[in-house]
Amino acid sequence: MELTQMIDAKGLAAMLSLSKRQVFRLNSCGKIPAPIRIGGAVRWPAEEISAWLKAGAPDRKAWNARKEIQA
C-alpha cells in the first residue's frame, strides 16, 4: 500500500503565498485541484499539487482534462 503525503489548507496557503481563506475561495471557484475529504478534513495530495504547479496552475476543468489525457 502506497502512502501519499497530504497537504491541509494551511500548508497549501503557505505554498501558494496566500491566506487559508483565499485557498478555500479558490477551491469553491474551481481554480485549484479538487481536494479529498477525510471525515471533516479537507486535504490535497502533495504530489498532485506539485504537478499542478509545474503545469502552470491551470483551473480545475483544464487540470482534470490534462489528467485524463495522461491516464
Side-chain angles (χ1 to χ4, degrees):
M1 183 169 89
E2 184 180 326
L3 292 177
T4 303
Q5 187 173 2
M6 304 299 276
I7 302 170
D8 63 359
K10 185 177 179 181
L12 183 56
M15 282 179 74
L16 301 177
S17 299
L18 300 171
S19 69
K20 185 175 160 183
R21 183 179 182 117
Q22 188 65 24
V23 166
F24 285 115
R25 284 185 184 142
L26 291 173
N27 182 47
S28 68
C29 294
K31 301 288 185 186
I32 60 177
I36 297 170
R37 294 194 180 273
I38 305 169
V42 177
R43 302 284 188 267
W44 288 264
E47 204 171 279
E48 182 174 8
I49 294 299
S50 294
W52 174 71
L53 289 170
K54 287 178 187 171
D59 65 14
R60 185 176 298 160
K61 188 174 179 181
W63 177 244
N64 288 337
R66 283 187 190 188
K67 288 195 314 183
E68 285 181 23
I69 290 170
Q70 292 175 353

